[in-house]
Amino acid sequence: MISMHTSPLEQPGIGDAGGMNVYIRNVASHLASHGAQVDVFTRATRASQGEVVEVEPGFRVINCVSGPFEGLPKESLPTQLAAFTGSVIAFVRSEAQGSAGGGAGQRTTCGRTGAGAYDLIHSHYWLSGQVGWLLRDLWGVPLVHTAHTWAAVKNLGLAEGDTPEPESRRICEQQIVDNADRIIVNTEDESAAIVEAYDADPRRISVIAPGVDVGRFTPGSDRATERARRELGIPLRAKVIAFIGRLQALKGPHVLLRAAAELIRRHPEQNIRVVICGGPSGTGLERPDELHDLAASLGVSGYVRFLSPRPPEELVTVYQAADIIAVPSYNESFGLVALEAQSSGTPVVAARVGGLPLTVAEGASGLLVDGHDPEVWAKALEELVLDDKLRIAMGAAAPAHALTYSWDSTVEKLLDVYTEVLGDGVVDSPFRAAHGVPQGPL
């Protein structure tokens, strides 16, 4: 696997780490539990990381030096594509030489070493897709790609003041679509979108929904909710609306703040509180205090609690402490936060964008909102704030909906795709067409 711009070991909610990190870590872990051996190549960002991190049996993270450890924004990472690719190749070559010389700690895959140690490449995000495209041809193995977000799709639903994705990224994504042996998407809507925007071949698209860790994200008892609120410094009898995610315009936390300010003005008796859990990212890095300033200008600073990002084992308490989770994103390929919230027994109010209409069972485990007008959002949130019976019923129904998604199911479907692209089920494989490789096992 290739995840150049962010490591699956990074804390989601900080910088560029988010749902993609959760996805890669869980997929790699579950692939390993199914007997696969997975190396995730990512760019080193600290000298102390070490080159190889053994996460668990069958799952390693390889930190590749390419460019300075710190101070290199994501927008500058395309300048390091060659360096990163060279670092991956150097690592694989060194492992092959170490194994040939009987070096300790070297690992083989399927009894082989070096470039031949990998049966397949799965790249994540467009930067990694460019690297995967080159390595696919060098190593003679298929390339599977998951974009997580697409420039052409994001640019259709930008938040106010957000910066459009550059044309250079769209061109690179077009090249990946044209050359990958299989594209993995989260939803049928995403499949239709890339067929429209990139003229993708539908036969080389596989729809596989992400999962949720239903063993970790579980409903809390009344006592657990009270304990979580005490630990987070939230009044026990408040109505709590929470936002969890990266703090940038694309995710819409400003929409929630404006809507909540209107609710607080209308219903002071409800003792409404807002929790914002996450760190600045993307355009949010330009003004890291923007949401604090907005809360102050709206006169609701005393009603808003800002929390730093938390690892999953602590994040579950935020979900359990909340009465409602708001997901006002302008673009969301799937919506893992919405799924984790429902698994934790908390209803969701989400924007009707991307994969959220699939993730949220509208009317059963949450509500969907058209657009991002704070007045419209205030009305949707008001419905659940005021109607205790409806909110509690949705919270009770939410875990059953979340149970329909699991990482085991995701990985089993991925393994089917891997088997297909390695066997004779590939439809017009670009690699095989270019190299005259016949259909059948490589």
Side-chain angles (χ1 to χ4, degrees):
M1 286 194 177
I2 304 171
S3 179
M4 177 186 172
H5 82 286
T6 181
S7 170
L9 302 183
E10 291 295 325
Q11 169 63 55
I14 297 177
D16 294 320
M20 190 180 101
N21 303 69
V22 175
Y23 181 100
I24 295 172
R25 178 155 188 166
N26 278 279
V27 165
S29 177
H30 283 75
L31 281 171
S33 72
H34 281 68
Q37 290 189 339
V38 184
D39 285 345
V40 180
F41 289 89
T42 191
R43 196 179 79 85
T45 55
R46 294 185 298 276
S48 60
Q49 286 173 313
E51 184 177 33
V52 180
V53 178
E54 297 273 359
V55 182
E56 58 190 77
F59 170 22
R60 305 188 301 181
V61 170
I62 317 299
N63 294 300
C64 298
V65 176
S66 48
F69 289 125
E70 298 178 358
L72 189 68
K74 187 166 69 171
E75 294 73 24
S76 298
L77 286 179
T79 66
Q80 300 303 315
L81 284 171
F84 181 82
T85 306
S87 185
V88 173
I89 293 170
F91 174 83
V92 173
R93 184 184 298 122
S94 70
E95 282 234 315
Q97 293 170 347
S99 179
Q106 304 300 327
R107 189 173 82 176
T108 63
T109 304
C110 300
R112 297 171 289 146
T113 59
Y118 298 108
D119 296 293
L120 179 139
I121 299 166
H122 189 163
S123 56
H124 298 268
Y125 198 62
W126 71 273
L127 292 165
S128 301
Q130 288 284 310
V131 176
W133 177 21
L134 174 59
L135 294 177
R136 186 275 303 275
D137 287 349
L138 286 175
W139 292 345
V141 299
L143 170 65
V144 174
H145 179 72
T146 304
H148 297 277
T149 62
W150 299 92
V153 178
K154 286 182 69 175
N155 286 345
L156 290 174
L158 291 174
E160 183 179 350
D162 218 350
T163 304
E165 293 297 321
E167 177 66 7
S168 57
R169 172 181 169 180
R170 193 205 62 78
I171 292 171
C172 287
E173 289 176 341
Q174 184 68 64
Q175 293 169 332
I176 296 165
V177 167
D178 291 342
N179 287 278
D181 296 280
R182 190 62 57 89
I183 301 292
I184 305 295
V185 298
N186 293 328
T187 66
E188 293 288 353
D189 283 349
E190 184 182 355
S191 175
I194 66 170
V195 168
E196 174 69 22
Y198 297 89
D199 196 27
D201 184 348
R203 298 174 301 169
R204 287 195 283 113
I205 300 174
S206 294
V207 179
I208 302 176
V212 64
D213 188 346
V214 294
R216 182 184 301 279
F217 295 101
T218 59
S221 63
D222 291 342
R223 182 171 296 180
T225 297
E226 290 182 5
R227 182 171 62 250
R229 291 191 176 189
R230 281 197 300 270
E231 292 172 354
L232 297 173
I234 301 170
L236 297 182
R237 303 306 172 200
K239 295 287 180 66
V240 180
I241 306 169
F243 170 95
I244 297 173
R246 289 176 290 152
L247 305 185
Q248 61 180 121
L250 179 71
K251 299 295 183 180
H254 57 288
V255 176
L256 171 60
L257 281 180
R258 291 191 172 100
E262 177 61 21
L263 271 184
I264 291 167
R265 184 189 65 79
R266 291 182 195 171
H267 303 287
E269 78 287 353
Q270 292 294 326
N271 195 17
I272 295 168
R273 293 292 188 275
V274 178
V275 173
I276 305 286
C277 181
S281 175
T283 54
L285 292 169
E286 299 171 7
R287 295 178 57 192
D289 296 325
E290 180 179 10
L291 292 176
H292 293 76
D293 295 341
L294 177 59
S297 69
L298 293 169
V300 294
S301 293
Y303 300 88
V304 181
R305 182 75 191 278
F306 289 93
L307 303 176
S308 61
R310 281 155 163 68
E313 59 272 18
E314 297 178 23
L315 188 59
V316 65
T317 63
V318 181
Y319 285 120
Q320 293 175 346
D323 292 292
I324 302 164
I325 297 294
V327 187
S329 301
Y330 284 78
N331 179 266
E332 202 71 64
S333 62
F334 188 66
L336 286 175
V337 165
L339 203 55
E340 290 173 352
Q342 291 167 95
S343 184
S344 304
T346 305
V348 175
V349 177
R352 196 188 301 274
V353 298
L356 287 169
L358 176 66
T359 310
V360 178
E362 185 174 16
S365 63
L367 301 175
L368 294 172
V369 182
D370 293 309
H372 297 83
D373 184 336
E375 288 286 339
V376 177
W377 271 82
K379 184 176 180 180
L381 290 167
E382 183 178 52
E383 184 175 352
L384 293 189
V385 166
L386 298 182
D387 193 334
D388 294 341
K389 185 177 179 181
L390 176 61
R391 186 184 67 253
I392 292 169
M394 284 187 170
H401 177 65
L403 278 172
T404 61
Y405 300 90
S406 75
W407 288 116
D408 278 327
S409 175
T410 299
V411 163
E412 286 165 5
K413 292 173 183 175
L414 276 175
L415 285 169
D416 287 341
V417 168
Y418 295 166
T419 301
E420 188 176 333
V421 298
L422 284 164
D424 60 4
V426 179
V427 177
D428 296 336
S429 163
F431 169 75
R432 297 185 182 199
H435 294 80
V437 180
Q439 295 293 329
L442 289 173

